[in-house]
Amino acid sequence: MRRPGCERLTLNVGDALIVVDVQNDFLPGGSLAVSQSDEVIPVLNRYLAAFARRGLPIFVTRDWHPPNHCSFQPHGGPWPPHCVAGSEGAAFPFALELPASSTLITLKGTEAEKDAYSAFDGTDLNVRLRAKRVQRLFVGGLATDYCVLCTVRDGLKAGYEVVLLQDAVRAVNLRPGDGERAEAEMIRRGAIPIRLEMLVA
Ligand code: VGL
Ligand code: ZN
C-alpha cells in the first residue's frame, strides 16, 4: 500500500528547479505582500542546495514591470504597483540563497500593455529549458494562485513533467480558498505534489 507522505523522489539529470517571483514586494512589508510568504524562503533554500549540489539547472523568475504597467491600479489593473523593474521591491530578498553558478534569471511582465503571470509567457524560458534538455520542472514560489498556477499550466502544456513544491508556495487568496483550488487544479492536470522530506538526500 502507498502511504501518503512516504513517497520518495530522486533528483536526476533532466530535472530543473523553477523558483517563481520570490521578490521583496511579495514578501511581508512589500506592496503586494502575500501572507506567510517569508516561510517559503528557508524551504526553497533547501531545494536550491539540493539542485546546486547535483549541478542541476535553477531558473529563477522575476516579475519585472515598467512603472506604468497595465496591471497596476492607477492604470486600470487589479494590483497595487509592484515589482517595478530595478526597484528594491523587485529585488530578491537577501535571505534567498541563490547559487551564483547554476542560477538563470527570467524576467516577465516587462511590457507595459500586457500582463504575464506565466514564466513562459513572452519569455525564452522554454527555449532555455530545451537547450539544457530539461524534462521535469520542480516549481515553487509566489504566488500559488497566480504565477505558480499559470507557470505549471504552461509547463504541462509544453510537455514537461511538473512537480509542485507544496511546502514552498503561498497564495494571495483574494478569495478565500484560491490557493487550495489552484493546487487542486495543478494536481488534477498532472502535477505531482511533493514536500522536502520526500526528496532523497
Ligand atoms: C503575481 C500578481 C501580480 C505573482 C505577479 O507573481 O503571482 N501576482 N503579479
Ligand atoms: Zn505582477
Side-chain angles (χ1 to χ4, degrees), residues 21 26 32 63 65 69 71-72 79 82-83 108 115-117 147:
D21 295 5
F26 296 122
L32 213 174
D63 215 28
H65 300 314
H69 193 248
S71 79
F72 295 174
W79 305 112
H82 63 278
C83 296
K108 62 185 189 55
D115 204 4
Y117 290 140
C147 290

Side-chain angles (χ1 to χ4, degrees), residues 31-32 46 51 90 95 117-118 122 125-126 128 132 141-142 170 177 182 190:
S31 66
L32 213 174
R46 301 271 306 275
F51 277 74
Y117 290 140
S118 163
L125 180 61
N126 199 28
R128 294 164 88 188
K132 292 200 172 285
L142 307 170
R170 291 294 183 279

Side-chain angles (χ1 to χ4, degrees), residues 163-178:
V163 175
L164 174 66
L165 308 180
Q166 224 172 7
D167 49 0
V169 294
R170 291 294 183 279
V172 176
N173 283 325
L174 225 42
R175 286 156 306 192
D178 277 354

